[in-house]
Amino acid sequence: MKKVSIKDVANLANVSIASVSYVLNKMPNNRISETTANRIKEAAEKLNYRPNKIAKSLKTNKSKILGFIVADIANPFFGQIAKILEEEALKIGYTIIVGSSGENSEKFDKLINFFIDQQVDGLILAPVENSENSFIKLDKEKFPYIILDRNLNGINSSGIRINNKEISYQATNTLIEKGSKFPLLVSYETTLVNLLDRDFGFYEALKENNLSETEAIKVKINNIQKDIFNGLDKHFKKTKKPDAIYFTSNKLAFSGLRYLLKNNINIPEDVQIIAFDESDAYELFPVDISYIKQPLDDIAKNALEMILKIINKQNTIIENKKLCAKLILRESTN
Amino acid sequence: MKKVSIKDVANLANVSIASVSYVLNKMPNNRISETTANRIKEAAEKLNYRPNKIAKSLKTNKSKILGFIVADIANPFFGQIAKILEEEALKIGYTIIVGSSGENSEKFDKLINFFIDQQVDGLILAPVENSENSFIKLDKEKFPYIILDRNLNGINSSGIRINNKEISYQATNTLIEKGSKFPLLVSYETTLVNLLDRDFGFYEALKENNLSETEAIKVKINNIQKDIFNGLDKHFKKTKKPDAIYFTSNKLAFSGLRYLLKNNINIPEDVQIIAFDESDAYELFPVDISYIKQPLDDIAKNALEMILKIINKQNTIIENKKLCAKLILRESTN
DNA sequence: ATGAAAGCGCTAACAC
DNA sequence: GTGTTAGCGCTTTCAT
């Protein structure tokens, strides 16, 4: 069963391939009479003609493929965004290819190259630590890309992010309002600015309320479980135990809650909890956890819109969109 | 900054484009002397030449892109497989594009068409209910594809699946051995054979042990939470309450465990639990849940291997690989 | 050992 | 209103 090409359609309809192309691409139709147009459409239908996108891409120099590089596609946060991205892209004839960097800057760079070789029209990137060089290269080649979710020191590119600092401030303030005197921060040991902003928001709230800083638990990104168990163990063996915890990511909350569960620490009586990110998993925890809900849908849709603008050169200036996360209060904060 | 093409490399190296192609594709090297080869490599390096895969695809009629259609990429089961698939594919120069059907046969068919138009070399498909026609069409066009995870009545295609019936039998048997007299089945109302097999395994174990069948809870795929809450409510208000539950998917377990938690039903004292699929979420549940672990890594790797074989016509017969899931026993079964 | 050239399927400028 | 044709960047056959 040979593939049918534009030539076959032209033959059957007794027209030139140019006419077929014109009709099937719905060009401004002062060309081609309605009768021939119909003849062409019928022929295409009859032969079940499927235009070859590869050939089209080669000619137009547009692949209509977008690359999306995340830290880990198996993380529901990125999974959810990928899903929406893919659905929205499909509607306008774009395809998304996804790669997982695993927080590794070499893999990250390799994926970028692979995707560019694949002739993607643009990239949506969630940077990893030490990936600055990848961005410098992209900028030098003027390759269309945007940054999603994260932030790199010294790299100023268009991107979609959320109000990390403000929402963290708000979350911490809430903990304090509800009575916390010794709130504990559990966050990453990182240089990623978006994550550091979450810390800043926390500390700002402390300062504002004249609370002294307790030593935060700073977790290595590839040693989450252990670092958290050890850290919490230390804090909860003190006489002055934390009475509230702010987890700056779903994965951190995950391990942390597990610790609290195993050690019979009561929420919210002994400690209040607020965690960044929504998670299905919270539903299986005995206490409904208060959390910060990111606008995943908006993030994905805005990202798509922004990268398309850049590809089509409707945007020459650097644009930074900051979307608003929402604090969802439940049992774990009274 | 114009893109550099094979022509530019040829010019700089003072050779024909054919020679460039030969050298860069590492053809059997009785052609081209080592000196010219080096000259070409240097030129390519210097110009930072990146072969255009689109052009190559057009010529070779191979896109090196594989389509992967799942029910929901945000479901960790599929997310995990997608991740491994993508990583393995990358190693051999293939790209994976993923689509989510949302259990909708129309969307499923649309994605297939979209991916074929995209010139994918082959498809890895997780069928949805009533998607038989899509497969009949694919078979008619002899388009390379394999089926993953699921099974459709009347469709006999190459695929990767697991021992649903056997492992379900084993799980149920375990529940009974540990003392259950009234095990309850919570599964889907579906025609998907792989899921029905899980039911069969359950019933077979009952029969073998001369236990009478309790009325199973059959959940509609788009109304999981409600159906389960209502179903369990009914069962736990009877005098003859279930003393063990077998959930045939992670999503079912999810809602079910939530019910048990909210209603203070003790595990394993009141009911034992076994659930299909691993889940991070179980880690936040007060009791460690026994579960059936699917060999995700093997599933993905075998799927890739199998579709490649079919694409390269090394396989003309229909091959069905059945991988073995593993029962992981923890607290919820004593 | 190397080059010339055809052609993959399409778009779009140009010709009539 | 419709056809002719160049050419996108590459692979590969055939010639030399």
Side-chain angles (χ1 to χ4, degrees), chain B residues 3-66:
Chain B
K3 291 217 94 187
V4 354
S5 81
I6 195 169
K7 228 181 200 164
D8 303 314
V9 180
N11 281 148
L12 182 60
N14 248 310
V15 293
S16 70
I17 59 166
S19 298
V20 177
S21 178
Y22 275 111
V23 171
L24 265 32
N25 287 306
K26 304 191 211 312
M27 286 297 172
N29 53 2
N30 40 351
R31 233 182 180 301
I32 315 291
S33 70
E34 203 165 319
T35 43
T36 29
N38 283 332
R39 198 147 33 92
I40 289 170
K41 281 181 205 154
E42 271 170 35
E45 181 92 355
K46 192 167 167 197
L47 294 175
N48 193 19
Y49 168 61
R50 308 277 203 92
N52 183 327
K53 284 194 192 171
I54 297 273
K56 182 170 187 168
S57 292
L58 181 59
K59 182 68 195 173
T60 59
N61 207 20
K62 298 233 158 306
S63 65
K64 294 246 190 181
I65 300 179
L66 265 20

Side-chain angles (χ1 to χ4, degrees), chain A residues 15-16 18-19 30-33 36 59:
Chain A
V15 293
S16 72
S19 299
N30 40 350
R31 233 180 178 303
I32 314 290
S33 69
T36 29
K59 180 68 195 172

